[in-house]
Amino acid sequence: NAGVTQTPKFQVLKTGQSMTLQCAQDMNHNSMYWYRQDPGMGLRLIYYSASEGTTDKGEVPNGYNVSRLNKREFSLRLESAAPSQTSVYFCASTATYGYTFGSGTRLTVV
Amino acid sequence: KNEVEQSPQNLTAQEGEFITINCSYSVGISALHWLQQHPGGGIVSLFMLSSGKKKHGRLIATINIQEKHSSLHITASHPRDSAVYICAALSGSARQLTFGSGTQLTVLP
């Protein structure tokens, strides 16, 4: 099925651990995004990649790094997880029309 | 400062009622999205509009660019419409979204 695939769906980390959230799209979209969703805050942009080979910071980039591996894949890395990074993470992609979101990763940092 | 404001935050309706959710934005936009999110679920794009009105089934979205205001209407509401509805403003050369905080809609049978 065409769309945006995110892995894993759920993850529990201990403070200080690292992990990478994976995202892949098969719609040949140029732009990809990582958002986090927190209660009462709405979704906020962490990082984005307007095209293959470029990445830029969004509203809340601290504590995260990203890699646009190729046109299909855009990963988000937490080098040293903190409880403040407990959230639901969504990857998304877009071309000219519309946005497509992944199903989300629910991350808990204890 | 939230550049996209939605109202109401919570809305409870009886099945069959006509529902309106409002969205105001302060940024310049190229388009506005209406999104739907079911509990524990992913996010689905319902509409993207830059002018006028769009209709899909029982859902209607309108936008007034001059007033920086958009509305989402649901006619003949049904319990399966219960979800969070989010408006998001599309702007910038990188086509980023700025999101409202969402409207939790509950439709009672």
Side-chain angles (χ1 to χ4, degrees):
Chain A
N1 292 335
V4 177
T5 303
Q6 275 184 248
T7 56
K9 291 192 185 304
F10 301 94
Q11 184 72 48
V12 178
L13 289 179
K14 293 183 179 178
T15 297
Q17 286 186 319
S18 63
M19 79 162 293
T20 300
L21 282 65
Q22 307 285 354
C23 175
Q25 53 91 10
D26 57 6
M27 297 169 287
N28 203 37
H29 286 172
N30 286 324
S31 301
M32 298 185 72
Y33 309 82
W34 278 104
Y35 294 96
R36 60 178 288 174
Q37 185 178 37
D38 302 294
M41 299 289 293
L43 287 112
R44 293 177 293 168
L45 181 64
I46 305 171
Y47 269 94
Y48 66 96
S49 171
S51 61
E52 185 179 356
T54 69
T55 60
D56 283 288
K57 295 178 181 179
E59 182 184 353
V60 288
N62 291 345
Y64 305 95
N65 285 301
V66 290
S67 296
R68 183 74 182 267
L69 303 169
N70 47 55
K71 192 169 186 178
R72 290 187 63 246
E73 298 172 287
F74 187 39
S75 62
L76 179 71
R77 182 159 178 84
L78 287 69
E79 291 291 352
S80 179
S84 61
Q85 294 178 304
T86 294
S87 188
V88 181
Y89 292 85
F90 287 96
C91 178
S93 70
T94 187
T96 304
Y97 300 107
Y99 246 74
T100 304
F101 290 85
S103 57
T105 296
R106 187 172 295 273
L107 175 66
T108 302
V109 183
V110 298
Chain B
K1 174 178 174 291
N2 193 343
E3 297 171 326
V4 179
E5 300 284 347
Q6 271 185 252
S7 63
Q9 284 189 304
N10 294 282
L11 181 56
T12 300
Q14 290 295 134
E15 184 173 357
E17 285 186 3
F18 181 85
I19 288 163
T20 297
I21 299 170
N22 294 301
C23 177
S24 297
Y25 54 92
S26 57
V27 298
I29 68 168
S30 53
L32 189 119
H33 283 259
W34 281 101
L35 310 168
Q36 182 191 57
Q37 185 175 28
H38 283 283
I43 298 170
V44 175
S45 179
L46 298 173
F47 294 103
M48 183 179 78
L49 63 165
S50 54
S51 65
K53 175 179 169 179
K54 286 191 176 181
K55 184 175 188 291
H56 181 70
R58 294 179 295 104
L59 302 178
I60 303 166
T62 64
I63 189 167
N64 184 318
I65 296 294
Q66 287 73 28
E67 295 187 5
K68 291 188 167 62
H69 181 269
S70 177
S71 294
L72 176 68
H73 305 286
I74 304 175
T75 62
S77 59
H78 190 276
R80 65 176 174 266
D81 296 326
S82 298
V84 175
Y85 292 84
I86 304 167
C87 70
L90 183 70
S91 62
S93 58
R95 302 176 62 77
Q96 301 116 293
L97 288 175
T98 303
F99 296 83
S101 56
T103 295
Q104 174 69 63
L105 172 65
T106 303
V107 182
L108 302 174

